[in-house]
Amino acid sequence: MTAELKVLFEGYVRGGEVDGANHVGATASLITAGDRVIVHDPGMCPGPEALLGPLEVAGFHSGQVTDVIVSHHHPDHTRWMGLFALARVHDHWAVYDGDLWTSREAEGVEVVEGVTLMHTPGHTHEDITTLVTTPDGVVALTHLWWDERSESDPRAVDLDLLHTHRARVLERADRIVPGHGHAFDVTDATPR
């Protein structure tokens, strides 16, 4: 089975260009596969409508979201999780559903056919990458890149791990949706 993927909000990191303040937005995406409606990284953005508006345009409302996947637990990637209060939440070591906490390692977990998790530490020790098999190839939703030019990560806890897991992702993906930038094809990625 293949999944459909749509970027709901394209993330960014802006250090004072607009108003002298730092602005951070996380890339949030919508994945649909079978009967699952998944939102990936519902984090910081100008406000809830920046996520809910594109979700509605895609034909869904917040109560229809069945799952939320968080790449890691920094607030810029989790800020608006509460908009999807009925959804199961997936992270690096568990699935949370209501008051049920089911421990499991993320590596190799198939959320639904066509949507698989990889443990890819580097930015944090808990990072996960979501691989989505689409009709156009495998797309990796990951925080291992900010954009196709990012050679490093100034906030990484372990650059060696980051580069090791970038290589793993590049072996499996055709396209990258980074945590704070526009999507790019793997052929455009700077291998480091």
Side-chain angles (χ1 to χ4, degrees):
M1 173 193 322
T2 60
E4 296 293 325
L5 173 69
K6 175 179 177 37
V7 171
L8 296 173
F9 182 82
E10 187 176 281
Y12 49 79
V13 175
R14 298 182 185 135
E17 302 93 33
V18 177
D19 58 6
N22 293 319
H23 294 267
V24 177
T27 300
S29 300
L30 171 66
I31 305 162
T32 54
D35 64 350
R36 304 294 269 283
V37 178
I38 304 166
V39 172
H40 183 273
D41 274 359
M44 288 174 64
C45 60
E49 193 53 37
L51 298 176
L52 297 178
L55 183 66
E56 186 176 317
V57 168
F60 300 99
H61 60 78
S62 63
Q64 291 175 293
V65 173
T66 60
D67 299 84
V68 168
I69 299 171
V70 293
S71 63
H72 62 292
H73 283 275
H74 286 166
D76 57 322
H77 293 268
T78 62
R79 169 67 171 95
W80 295 109
M81 283 178 20
L83 294 173
F84 313 104
L86 301 177
R88 288 176 290 272
V89 176
H90 304 262
D91 71 3
H92 70 284
W93 67 350
V95 178
Y96 314 94
D97 190 2
D99 68 349
L100 179 62
W101 176 316
T102 304
S103 295
R104 58 97 184 102
E105 294 299 320
E107 181 65 34
V109 167
E110 189 175 68
V111 175
V112 63
E113 188 179 347
V115 180
T116 305
L117 306 179
M118 290 175 66
H119 183 221
T120 53
H123 178 68
T124 72
H125 290 294
E126 297 80 24
D127 287 336
I128 61 174
T129 293
T130 302
L131 299 174
V132 182
T133 304
T134 73
D136 297 322
V138 176
V139 180
L141 307 175
T142 185
H143 201 290
L144 295 174
W145 285 267
W146 290 26
D147 61 34
E148 75 275 13
R149 296 175 314 278
S150 57
E151 296 178 14
S152 191
D153 179 346
R155 304 223 187 284
V157 296
D158 189 322
L159 284 174
D160 289 336
L161 276 177
L162 180 118
H163 294 302
T164 296
H165 290 290
R166 277 185 176 186
R168 282 185 68 213
V169 169
L170 290 173
E171 289 173 3
R172 303 213 22 212
D174 301 300
R175 190 158 177 78
I176 305 291
V177 175
H180 299 283
H182 61 277
F184 59 91
D185 291 333
V186 164
T187 55
D188 296 332
T190 304
R192 301 276 179 218

